[in-house]
Amino acid sequence: MGAPPLKAKSFQDLQDLRAQLAQQQARAARQAADHAARQLAEWQQRQLFARAVGPVRALDAAATQRVRLTPEPAPPLPRQRQRDEQAVLREAISDAFDAGTLLEVDAEHGFRQPGIGADVTVRLRRGHWAVQREIDLHGLRREEAREALGAFLREATRAGIRCVRVVHGKGRGSPGREPVLKALVQRWLAQRREVLAFVQAKPLEGGAGALLALLAAG
């Protein structure tokens, strides 16, 4: 509803009515100006946003549909392959193997594969090849020592290592003080294709408790 009509009863009332009317007109003008200013500010903001974003294109309904992604399953652990490798390793180096059937034996407990010259064990014993890596099998059970030695030789060959020291101990803690592990290590080394020769270490390098082995070049 609008404002009630103004009625004048005298000249003074007429002047008051004019003043009231002027106030109403001024108020209406201010409101109209405020409204126009707000619309202008909103329009300016939209223009600034449009220039900042750049051209846009409405997405169709198909594009707005969610796509369900199925995560790829994690690759299975090669447990069977690991078991197979361990089985091959156990079969490849047997405890019952007779090293004398394949090795040339010299008077100083040096061993070499067939086709390897006697000078190789001589140079190996004299330190012609520096020891680059070592494994200590002390305190390991038979199966643990066999698997540890096999893994050690594989890694050394991959790394291009030529000379290694295998510490097996002198058997002082074994029943009867017999070097059981020493004999086993000799048999195991003899069956490895990457082992060209091995000799007993010098006293300062372990003596009767260690072997120096020469590996084939990778």
Side-chain angles (χ1 to χ4, degrees), residues 137 139-146 181 188:
L137 303 177
L140 297 182
R141 296 181 180 180
R142 176 178 300 191
E143 291 303 320
E144 294 173 341
R146 173 161 44 193
L181 191 57
W188 297 339

Side-chain angles (χ1 to χ4, degrees), residues 13 35 42 60 66 78 81 90 110 113 122 144 155 178:
D13 292 339
H35 180 69
E42 292 176 358
D60 54 22
R66 294 183 177 180
R81 187 178 67 183
R90 287 192 295 270
Q113 298 286 2
V122 173
E144 294 173 341
E155 293 301 322
E178 292 293 331

Side-chain angles (χ1 to χ4, degrees), residues 46-127:
R46 288 195 297 270
Q47 292 299 314
L48 290 174
F49 178 78
R51 285 197 295 270
V53 174
V56 296
R57 180 173 60 86
L59 297 176
D60 54 22
T64 58
Q65 293 180 355
R66 294 183 177 180
V67 178
R68 295 183 178 273
L69 299 178
T70 303
E72 296 184 2
L77 294 175
R79 299 185 185 276
Q80 185 59 47
R81 187 178 67 183
Q82 294 173 356
R83 288 193 292 267
D84 293 342
E85 289 180 353
Q86 292 176 355
V88 170
L89 179 61
R90 287 192 295 270
E91 294 174 0
I93 47 180
S94 169
D95 296 347
F97 176 77
D98 181 7
T101 60
L102 291 181
L103 298 174
E104 299 292 339
V105 184
D106 62 27
E108 298 183 30
H109 305 287
F111 301 84
R112 63 184 186 275
Q113 298 286 2
I116 302 298
D119 61 313
V120 173
T121 52
V122 173
R123 288 188 292 168
L124 183 59
R125 189 176 290 109
R126 291 178 178 176

